């Protein structure tokens, strides 16, 4: 009798069955990226992947197609420090911005001479009156420059190899086009990354009026339940965005809305891969 293919050497039991569940064509692998994405979406709809895992896998695929110009902080939004600035002028900028690294310029934004780390400034500030006169040159770190056409996946590899967290983006003429950080690149895969400063500046839930709120997609379901006194399950979805996405059944666009129990979720901000922000309306019981 022919040997069962499920138990041949190299085949673990149930492997073909798992692939069938996953939606894979056993005659061969997906022929292009679009087919692969469709397989992943089928897997999510079959509850083999949760929505957050699907987003991250799509992000990994998309990041190789993105260029640095697509994710950088534009030149006009850069928080910079002038090379001739004094310690008393620099500290308020560092405190107000909440950033940990700052490009230092000479005469203009096209002349970035280095990177200043906030921790170096804090060390000087803690020395107080005993500190020597501030010398920018002693604490300045070398700046890394990358072209705006560089692919984001290549940039991530370079960040990892060099242990740099920031690079200055230059255009084809050598002028400064913007700034890119390792956080900007990683967010294309895992979504918004918020540090302690971000949390303080922008809470998960912002009340607009009595029954209207702005709710970030990354709000934990447990936090949403605590705030609104409801009991959505967090066993299947960690974030309120995942829960609402499941209810939509597709990637919604701005302006689409869904009603779940006594809450109307209106999509305020979204891209091709994920929802970022909802406007939430708490409905009267008669409108549920």
């Amino acid at each position: 009798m022919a040997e069962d293919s499920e138990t041949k050497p190299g085949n673990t039991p149930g492997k073909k069955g798992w692939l069938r569940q996953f939606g894979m064509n056993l005659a061969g692998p997906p022929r292009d990226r679009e087919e692969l994405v469709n397989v992943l979406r089928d897997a999510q709809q079959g509850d083999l992947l949760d929505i957050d895992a699907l987003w991250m896998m799509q992000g990994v695929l998309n990041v190789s197609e993105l260029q640095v110009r697509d994710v950088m902080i534009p030149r006009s939004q850069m928080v910079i420090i002038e090379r001739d600035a004094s310690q008393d002028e620099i500290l308020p900028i560092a405190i107000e911005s909440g950033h940990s690294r700052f490009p230092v310029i000479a005469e203009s934004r096209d002349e970035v001479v280095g990177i200043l780390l906030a921790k170096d400034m804090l060390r000087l500030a803690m020395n107080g009156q005993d500190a020597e006169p501030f010398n920018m040159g002693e604490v300045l770190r070398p700046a890394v420059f990358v072209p705006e056409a560089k692919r984001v996946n290549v940039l991530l590899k370079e960040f990892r190899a060099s242990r740099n967290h920031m690079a200055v983006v230059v255009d084809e003429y050598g002028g400064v086009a913007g700034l890119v950080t390792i956080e900007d690149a990683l967010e294309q895969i895992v979504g918004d990354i918020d540090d302690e400063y971000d949390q303080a500046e922008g809470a998960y839930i912002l009340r607009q009026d009595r029954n209207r709120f702005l709710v970030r997609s990354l709000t934990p379901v447990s936090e949403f339940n605590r705030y609104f006194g409801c009991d959505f399950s967090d066993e299947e979805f960690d974030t309120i965005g995942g829960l609402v996405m499941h209810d939509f059944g597709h990637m919604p666009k701005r302006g689409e809305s869904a009603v779940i129990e006594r809450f109307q979720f209106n999509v305020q901000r979204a891209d091709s891969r994920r929802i970022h922000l909802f406007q939430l309306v708490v409905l009267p019981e008669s409108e549920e």
Side-chain angles (χ1 to χ4, degrees), residues 52-282:
D52 292 328
L54 174 62
W55 283 343
M56 283 191 283
M57 289 181 180
Q58 288 183 272
V60 170
L61 294 173
N62 290 336
V63 79
S64 63
E65 298 182 340
L66 293 174
Q67 295 180 328
V68 169
R69 63 165 62 92
D70 299 319
V71 303
M72 70 181 184
I73 300 165
R75 167 192 174 114
S76 60
Q77 297 178 19
M78 290 167 46
V79 180
I80 54 90
I81 290 176
E82 295 183 357
R83 181 173 55 185
D84 299 330
S86 67
Q87 181 175 328
D88 291 338
E89 292 172 326
I90 296 172
L91 283 175
I93 297 174
I95 293 170
E96 182 178 350
S97 69
H99 298 321
S100 58
R101 292 171 174 80
F102 303 88
V104 177
I105 65 169
E107 300 299 325
S108 73
R109 288 177 181 251
D110 286 321
E111 296 182 72
V112 177
V113 296
I115 303 296
L116 178 65
L117 271 59
K119 65 180 183 180
D120 292 335
M121 285 300 305
L122 292 174
R123 188 160 47 243
L124 292 173
M126 290 179 65
N127 291 333
Q129 299 297 326
D130 298 331
E132 297 180 359
F134 174 66
N135 186 336
M136 178 73 79
E138 293 180 355
V139 295
L140 208 56
R141 310 290 181 99
V144 175
F145 297 87
V146 299
E148 58 182 352
K150 182 184 286 290
R151 295 203 314 273
V152 174
N153 62 328
V154 176
L155 178 70
L156 277 171
K157 291 179 182 178
E158 293 180 357
F159 274 149
R160 184 175 61 181
S162 64
R163 298 187 178 181
N164 282 320
H165 286 208
M166 173 183 283
V168 178
V169 183
V170 293
D171 60 27
E172 58 183 314
Y173 304 106
V176 172
L179 195 68
V180 65
T181 68
I182 192 170
E183 181 178 304
D184 297 324
L186 288 175
E187 283 183 339
Q188 305 308 308
I189 299 174
V190 300
D192 293 341
I193 302 173
D194 295 328
D195 56 23
E196 297 84 353
Y197 180 82
D198 295 327
Q199 292 294 339
E201 288 297 298
Y204 285 122
I205 301 169
L206 177 65
R207 186 168 192 159
Q208 295 182 298
D209 56 37
R210 182 177 178 182
N211 296 316
R212 198 177 301 271
F213 304 80
L214 288 177
V215 178
R216 296 170 62 192
S217 175
L218 293 176
T219 303
V221 172
S222 57
E223 175 71 12
F224 187 92
N225 287 340
R226 184 194 63 79
Y227 191 97
F228 291 104
C230 52
D231 57 355
F232 288 126
S233 172
D234 59 1
E235 293 183 1
E236 187 175 1
F237 304 103
D238 294 326
T239 67
I240 201 68
L243 186 148
V244 178
M245 265 289 298
H246 180 73
D247 188 83
F248 271 112
H250 65 275
M251 175 57 67
K253 298 179 180 179
R254 179 175 178 176
E256 291 191 59
S257 63
V259 176
I260 305 176
E261 296 186 5
R262 60 190 177 95
F263 304 102
Q264 178 177 307
F265 294 89
N266 303 306
V267 178
Q268 289 290 296
R269 188 158 56 91
D271 56 31
S272 60
R273 295 192 295 120
R274 57 173 61 88
I275 305 170
H276 294 281
L277 186 68
F278 297 106
Q279 185 180 66
L280 176 76
V281 178
V282 180

